[in-house]
């Protein structure tokens, strides 16, 4: 590129966006980190298409399992946090918690963490020709929330939330968000 063309492109960035080269690069890198953070948490749901969810008015948390080798994620405090989040978020949806006796929905959940390794490919070499493979270790926390109809003893709704972090203890800070994003998808919208 000739010198006048470089100056012209730099001037366009400066005039159009008010950014100089290093500021534009910093903004671009910040955008990449934000996009990475946004895709780190994933929530999927499945449900029985034949069920009318408007009939469910009460719920009870019947069972919770913590399946993590990390003591920070396998404690009674984590269990209390998950149950309080489920109770708060379902109450916000208009359901009432039943502490004893029958309920319209029985809640069961499982939370676990596993260390995994992912292989990522990056362009490398001259002009992006060639590929560089990098092994990236991370911890994945998975929360499964099941809503069961006690009269039929069948699963009517399930949410699976997973969070990818490089440190399993950082997953604990995301539990509130994992539960909220899961319960936000209840009641399901029929297709």
């Amino acid at each position: 590129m000739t010198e006048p063309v470089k100056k012209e492109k730099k001037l366009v960035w400066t005039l159009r966006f008010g950014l100089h080269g290093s500021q534009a690069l910093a903004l671009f890198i910040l955008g990449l980190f934000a996009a990475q953070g946004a895709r780190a948490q994933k929530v999927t749901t499945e449900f029985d298409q034949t069920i009318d969810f408007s009939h469910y008015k009460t719920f009870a948390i019947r069972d919770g399992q913590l399946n993590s080798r990390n003591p920070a994620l396998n404690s009674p405090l984590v269990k209390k946090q998950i149950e309080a989040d489920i109770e708060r978020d379902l109450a916000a949806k208009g359901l009432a918690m039943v502490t004893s006796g029958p309920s319209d929905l029985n809640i069961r959940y499982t939370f676990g963490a596993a260390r995994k390794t992912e292989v990522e490919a990056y362009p490398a070499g001259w002009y992006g020709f060639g590929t560089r493979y990098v092994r990236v270790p991370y911890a994945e926390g998975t929360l499964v929330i099941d809503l069961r109809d006690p009269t039929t003893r069948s699963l009517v709704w399930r949410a699976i939330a997973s969070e990818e972090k490089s440190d399993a203890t950082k997953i604990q800070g995301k539990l509130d968000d994992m539960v909220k994003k899961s319960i936000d998808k209840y009641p399901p919208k029929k297709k």
Side-chain angles (χ1 to χ4, degrees), residues 42-73:
K42 183 171 64 170
V43 177
T44 58
T45 59
E46 50 192 39
F47 63 95
D48 186 341
Q49 301 265 342
T50 63
I51 300 294
D52 179 9
F53 287 89
S54 66
H55 294 294
Y56 298 123
K57 304 292 182 203
T58 62
F59 71 94
I61 299 174
R62 301 292 184 197
D63 188 30
Q65 300 289 321
L66 302 178
N67 301 325
S68 175
R69 294 182 187 178
N70 189 319
L73 296 176

Side-chain angles (χ1 to χ4, degrees), residues 3-164:
E3 194 62 34
V5 173
K6 281 184 183 179
K7 285 183 180 180
E8 183 179 315
K9 283 189 176 188
K10 186 175 181 180
L11 181 62
V12 167
W13 271 93
T14 304
L15 292 175
R16 182 178 279 173
F17 303 108
L19 301 173
H20 296 288
S22 61
Q23 291 172 325
L25 180 62
L27 187 62
F28 176 73
I29 291 172
L30 189 64
L32 284 177
F33 283 126
Q36 177 68 20
R39 96 176 161 86
Q41 194 173 85
K42 183 171 64 170
V43 177
T44 58
T45 59
E46 50 192 39
F47 63 95
D48 186 341
Q49 301 265 342
T50 63
I51 300 294
D52 179 9
F53 287 89
S54 66
H55 294 294
Y56 298 123
K57 304 292 182 203
T58 62
F59 71 94
I61 299 174
R62 301 292 184 197
D63 188 30
Q65 300 289 321
L66 302 178
N67 301 325
S68 175
R69 294 182 187 178
N70 189 319
L73 296 176
N74 203 15
S75 77
L77 295 174
V78 170
K79 199 169 185 174
K80 278 184 182 180
Q81 180 183 356
I82 293 171
E83 290 178 7
D85 290 342
I86 291 172
E87 182 180 349
R88 179 195 64 228
D89 293 338
L90 282 176
K93 294 281 186 174
L95 279 79
M97 171 118 170
V98 175
T99 54
S100 63
S103 63
D104 296 336
L105 288 170
N106 287 339
I107 312 294
R108 288 178 169 46
Y109 66 87
T110 305
F111 177 68
R115 301 236 0 111
K116 295 187 175 187
T117 302
E118 185 174 283
V119 177
E120 294 182 1
Y122 297 99
W126 290 95
Y127 301 106
F129 294 113
T131 306
R132 178 178 159 212
Y133 295 96
V134 179
R135 293 175 49 141
V136 180
Y138 68 95
E140 180 184 73
T142 302
L143 174 66
V144 179
I145 302 173
D146 289 342
L147 278 61
R148 296 183 168 272
D149 187 328
T151 58
T152 61
R153 295 184 179 173
S154 62
L155 179 67
V156 294
W157 184 86
R158 170 178 278 172
I160 303 168
S162 59
E163 176 74 36
E164 298 173 10

Side-chain angles (χ1 to χ4, degrees), residues 178-191:
M178 291 172 77
V179 172
K180 181 169 180 13
K181 284 183 178 178
S182 297
I183 302 297
D184 280 349
K185 296 184 179 225
Y186 178 86
K189 294 166 183 62
K190 293 192 178 183
K191 297 175 183 177

